[in-house]
Amino acid sequence: MTTLPDRPHTALLVIDVQNGVVADAHDRDAVIANINTLLDRARARDVPVVWVQHTDDGLPTGSDDWQYVPELVRSTTEPLVHKSHGDSFEDTDLEAVLAERQVGRLVVAGAQTDGCIRATLHGAFVRGYDVDLVGDAHTTEDLTAYGAPPPDQVIAHTNLYWGWQSGPGRKASTVDTAGVSFTA
């Protein structure tokens, strides 16, 4: 249903599961385990896996905090997109990477729910992609000291509202790891 012509394929997009991003994240180990399950399933079906890695003053390139968590291992054949904005499409080659692979549907997992996940979901959707958020494979840290709801509520709210997104010729959904289908 994507509005992108000639884009019949699906890709798994793994966003910012970096040491410094998820060190204190809600349900960190379970989320990483779910992402590993998604990786195994995507790779077994020859579904493209695209990794996104954030850089900023708090995550300088090459630092330990900037590195992906050791539990997730990227294959050298899987593209790595470097970004410095919340939306993984902004000022990156993500669109070109997806176009080259004829991807019109994204399955999204990673961190942070209320930052880069949310921005990328909306960025993809307005660009014409169908976007499935994996509800038990994204996380965020506790920002209640800054007035945010607790992380479990942020995650639950994001899962709720994303399942109700709509746009002409596109679809959005929230699905748990067990329910993810990599077929169109």
Side-chain angles (χ1 to χ4, degrees):
M1 288 189 50
T2 177
T3 59
L4 300 170
D6 303 316
R7 300 273 197 102
H9 301 298
T10 298
L12 174 61
L13 191 61
V14 182
I15 301 172
D16 300 350
V17 190
Q18 297 162 250
N19 290 322
V21 176
V22 299
D24 298 317
H26 175 76
D27 215 9
R28 176 198 182 277
D29 294 343
V31 167
I32 291 171
N34 288 337
I35 294 171
N36 263 321
T37 297
L38 293 166
L39 288 168
D40 290 345
R41 289 176 43 209
R43 290 168 176 158
R45 291 169 179 76
D46 292 323
V47 169
V49 176
V50 179
W51 301 75
V52 177
Q53 189 170 29
H54 191 82
T55 299
D56 61 26
D57 291 342
L59 288 170
T61 301
S63 68
D64 186 55
D65 282 348
W66 176 81
Q67 301 296 328
Y68 251 78
V69 298
E71 299 95 326
L72 298 177
V73 178
R74 181 178 72 89
S75 166
T76 57
T77 62
E78 296 167 344
L80 176 61
V81 173
H82 294 280
K83 70 177 181 65
S84 58
H85 301 285
D87 180 349
S88 299
F89 289 90
E90 289 295 329
D91 198 26
T92 71
D93 63 348
L94 179 57
E95 172 55 32
V97 166
L98 297 172
E100 180 181 324
R101 290 157 180 79
Q102 298 180 311
V103 171
R105 176 176 163 246
L106 297 174
V107 175
V108 177
Q112 292 214 156
T113 300
D114 42 355
C116 299
I117 294 294
R118 183 175 177 167
T120 300
L121 291 172
H122 289 280
F125 199 68
V126 300
R127 286 172 174 87
Y129 290 87
D130 291 335
V131 186
D132 299 329
L133 172 62
V134 187
D136 58 357
H138 65 96
T139 188
T140 192
E141 65 186 321
D142 187 342
L143 298 173
T144 55
Y146 302 97
D152 62 328
Q153 290 179 11
V154 171
I155 293 164
H157 181 253
T158 304
N159 289 343
L160 173 69
Y161 87 74
W162 192 251
W164 292 98
Q165 293 299 303
S166 65
R170 292 159 287 150
K171 67 177 191 159
S173 73
T174 301
V175 60
D176 285 338
T177 298
V180 170
S181 170
F182 285 112
T183 58

